[in-house]
Amino acid sequence: MRPFPLTRRSRLRDLYAHPVGRDVIDKLRLYFGAPEALVRVLGPLPLSWIEAAGRRFAGEGFLQMILDLVNSEPAVPGDPGPLMPAAGAISPTDEDVPWWVDAVFYQVYPRSFADADGNGIGDLRGIIEHLDHLEELGVDCLWLSPVFDSPNRDMGYDVRDYRDVMEEMGTLEDLDELIADCHARGMRIILDLVVNHTSTEHERFQRALADPEGPDADFYHFVRDRDRPGEDTSTPPNNWTSFFSGSAWMRLEEAEAWVLHLFDESQVDLNWDNPEVRAGVARLVGWWLDRGIDGFRMDVINYISKPEDLPHGHPYIGALMDFIGIEHFYYGPRLHEYLAELRRNGFTREDGTVAVMIGETPGIGIEAGRLLSGRGRGELDMIFNFDGLVAPGKVDWHRHRYPVGRLVDFWLEYHRRIDDSDRIALFFENHDNTRMISKIAGTGARDPELRRKLGILLGAVQLTMPGTPFLYQGQELAAINEPFASLEDLRDVESLNKVRALIEDGASEQEAFAEVLPASRDHARTPIRWTEDQEDDGWWLPGHERTPGFSAAAQAEDPESVLSWYRRLIALRRAHPVFARGDAERLYRGRDCVQYVRRGEGEAILVELNWGPRARWCPAVPGRADVLASVGAGEDPQRLEAYSVRITELAELTP
Ligand code: NOJ
C-alpha cells in the first residue's frame, strides 16, 4: 500500500521517507542533538504510538500539525515523474551551466562597508571606491544588502520606496555607476529583494491606513474586527509571535483591525494571495533587471505564503523554535506556485535568460530545499540553509562554542544528499550572524595568532567545498565580534526589542544586555577596517576592535595574512574548475581533522584540514602529486600539524 498521504497509522519511517517529514524530524533531531540512528531504531513504530509517548511534552495536536504540513506537499517519493526533474551532472560540456555555478559571491552590507562622504554611514560611492579590493580578492559577484529608501528601523530591510536609493547612501545614478563599474571589471551585481513585507512608511501602507476599506488594505494582512463575530477582538487574531519579540499583530485602532508583521511593527507583511501584489513584485524585478542588475537575493522568501485562515501556531513548536506560528508559513501552501510565477513573470528576461534567484529560506531543511531549488523545478536557483550554523542541541542565543567540524560534516553530508540535482550556497557569516571565528574561539579570538589560523582554516573549508561560496564582508580580513560594553552600544532592532521584552519581564538592563550580547547582529555590522589608523567613532555603529595587523591595508602587504590566503584560494578555485563543479568524497574523518577528495573535470584534488591545537595522524592517500597550497601542514603525508591546511593534486585522475 502506498504510504502517502500519511495518517496516524503510518510509521515513523514513512514520515522520514517523505521530503518534508524528513526535514521536520531532522530539525527536531538537530534541536535535541539526537542521532539519526534513533530514527532507524524507532522507524517501524506507528506515528500514533510516538504521539502517545510524546503527549506529555508536546501536548495535543502536534502529530496532526505535522501530518497537515507533510501532506500539503504534492511531491512525494515514488510519484510518476521524478521528484527532481531534469537533474544532470554539471559538466563543462554542458552549455547550460549557469554563471553562478562557477562564481564566488561577496556580500556587502553597504551601511558598514565604506563611507565616502563622511556622514558616518557607508555609501554607494564608498563601494565604488573599494572595487579594487574586491577585484583583487577575485570575487565574481557582489550582493548588496538593501540600499533602497527606508526609515531604517531594520537597516534597510524595511523598504519605503523600492525604486529609489536611500539618501544617506547616494542616488540612483550612483547605483547605475556601480552596476556599470562592476560589469566593466567582469563582475556581476545582485540586490536584496525584501518583499515579504514593506515598511509601514511605504506609500501603499499609508494609503491602506487612510482608507482601510479600500483596495490598498488588501495588499497587507488586515484582519477586521467585524470579520471576527463572537471573538474577543481586543486580542490578536491568532497567537503568532514576531521574530523581533512580542505578538506578530499590530492593533490599528482607527481601522478597527489588526495587521500582521512577522518582524518589527514597522515591517508589515504583504498579502501574496492578492494577485496585484505578485504582479507588482514581478514588475519591480523587471524594472531592476532593466537597470542592469544580475539577480536578487530574496529576503525570507519562504515566508510569503500564509494559510488563508491564519490558524493558531502549536505552542510546543513555538517553545522549541522560539516563535509561535512558524509551521504555518515557513513552507506555506502556495509557496512553490508563487516562486514559479515570479520566475516566469519577473526574473525571465525578454531574451529568455533568467536572472539569478537566491532564496534566503530560514527553517527550510535539505529536502524541502531541493523542492525549492532543485534543477528543473523552475523556482529558485539556490537557497541559504541555516542548519549548519548551529551546533546540534544549541540555538543562537545560547552561549556555546561552535565546532568547526560541524561545518565540514554538514556541507559534505548536504552535498551527498543533493547529488548533482541541486546546488549548495556555502556561507557561514552574514549580517545576521555573529563572526564565525568568535563563535569558534570565544574571547580566544582576540589572540592574533589563533585568529589568523582560524581565518585560514575557515577560508579553506568554504572555498574547497562543492557549492557556490558567499563571503561576507570582513570575513576575508578575519573579522571578529565587537567587544560591546553596554546597551548604548547596540543598534539592531532585533536585539533592542528583545532587551525591551526582557526588561518588561523583570530583567535588569545588565541582565538583558548579557542575554542578547552573544548573538546580537551588531557584531557583524561594525565598519570594515580599511587602514590601521582608521577612526570609527563617528560611525552609526562604532567598531573598537583594533587588533594591529588586521586592517585590509596591513593584510594586503602581508603574504601570510588571511586576506592573501583568500586571494590565493579564490585564484586556485578559478584555475581548477573541479572545485566549483566536481564531486566530493570524504576519505577520513578523525578528531579535529578531515581528508576529502574533489573529483571531476579530469582532476582529483585532496583537501586535508586539521582545525585542532594538536597534530593528528591521517591515512596515506596514494597518488599524491603537487601540493597546490599548504599552511602549517608540514611534509609528512600521514601527519597533519595543528591548525593546518594542505591541498594536493592527486595523480590518479590527472590527465
Ligand atoms: C532577513 C534579513 O537578513 C534580516 O536582516 C532582516 O531583519 C529580516 N530578514 C527581515 O527583513
Side-chain angles (χ1 to χ4, degrees), residues 105-376:
F105 284 69
Y106 183 99
Q107 180 190 355
V108 176
Y109 192 68
R111 209 174 174 77
S112 305
F113 191 68
D115 177 16
D117 64 7
N119 67 353
I121 294 175
D123 42 44
L124 294 171
R125 193 130 303 277
I127 305 175
I128 293 172
E129 287 173 5
H130 287 82
L131 283 179
D132 283 350
H133 171 81
L134 300 171
E135 195 179 346
E136 281 159 25
L137 183 57
V139 297
D140 304 283
C141 182
L142 305 193
W143 147 30
L144 302 193
S145 274
V147 294
F148 314 108
D149 175 47
S150 160
N152 285 308
R153 280 278 303 170
D154 189 16
M155 305 308 165
Y157 285 93
D158 46 334
V159 181
R160 183 165 48 204
D161 183 348
Y162 290 88
R163 289 180 171 79
D164 203 0
V165 168
M166 72 172 86
E167 224 182 321
E168 309 88 301
M169 287 191 188
T171 61
L172 267 179
E173 288 64 44
D174 293 333
L175 190 49
D176 289 342
E177 189 179 325
L178 174 59
I179 296 170
D181 277 9
C182 284
H183 289 163
R185 291 168 188 255
M187 292 195 278
R188 290 185 164 88
I189 178 166
I190 64 170
L191 300 180
D192 210 317
L193 188 67
V194 189
V195 287
N196 173 68
H197 43 265
T198 73
S199 162
T200 45
E201 293 189 20
H202 190 278
E203 193 189 349
R204 178 78 64 178
F205 188 73
Q206 288 299 313
R207 288 210 301 263
L209 276 187
D211 179 12
E213 298 299 322
D216 293 310
D218 280 344
F219 278 66
Y220 297 92
H221 293 275
F222 275 57
V223 177
R224 298 182 179 83
D225 295 351
R226 66 170 147 73
D227 294 330
R228 300 169 64 197
E231 279 183 49
D232 174 8
T233 54
S234 68
T235 60
N238 69 24
N239 64 353
W240 295 6
T241 51
S242 146
F243 292 102
F244 290 169
S245 303
S247 166
W249 295 92
M250 174 166 62
R251 179 70 188 162
L252 303 173
E253 215 45 79
E254 283 185 20
E256 297 180 3
W258 293 84
V259 68
L260 180 68
H261 62 91
L262 292 182
F263 293 89
D264 186 60
E265 271 194 1
S266 60
Q267 295 163 291
V268 271
D269 282 56
L270 283 164
N271 171 17
W272 277 68
D273 294 335
N274 178 348
E276 284 191 52
V277 168
R278 306 201 299 274
V281 173
R283 274 196 305 275
L284 173 70
V285 168
W287 191 85
W288 279 106
L289 295 192
D290 288 346
R291 270 200 122 87
I293 65 135
D294 297 286
F296 279 102
R297 174 266 193 187
M298 302 161 80
D299 189 65
V300 290
I301 202 66
N302 55 317
Y303 293 174
I304 55 178
S305 165
K306 282 99 183 171
E308 250 175 80
D309 55 345
L310 299 166
H312 282 298
H314 194 282
Y316 185 65
I317 285 285
L320 288 185
M321 303 291 152
D322 253 357
F323 308 107
I324 303 178
I326 193 162
E327 69 273 21
H328 294 301
F329 59 76
Y330 89 98
Y331 191 58
R334 299 178 69 185
L335 177 61
H336 291 299
E337 177 192 335
Y338 293 163
L339 290 175
E341 182 186 291
L342 184 57
R343 187 176 187 92
R344 283 193 309 272
N345 299 347
F347 281 79
T348 306
R349 302 187 185 92
E350 266 173 24
D351 64 3
T353 58
V354 184
V356 70
M357 293 175 80
I358 303 159
E360 190 221 14
T361 54
I364 292 290
I366 294 179
E367 297 302 321
R370 298 175 69 196
L371 295 171
L372 291 168
S373 63
R375 296 189 96 203

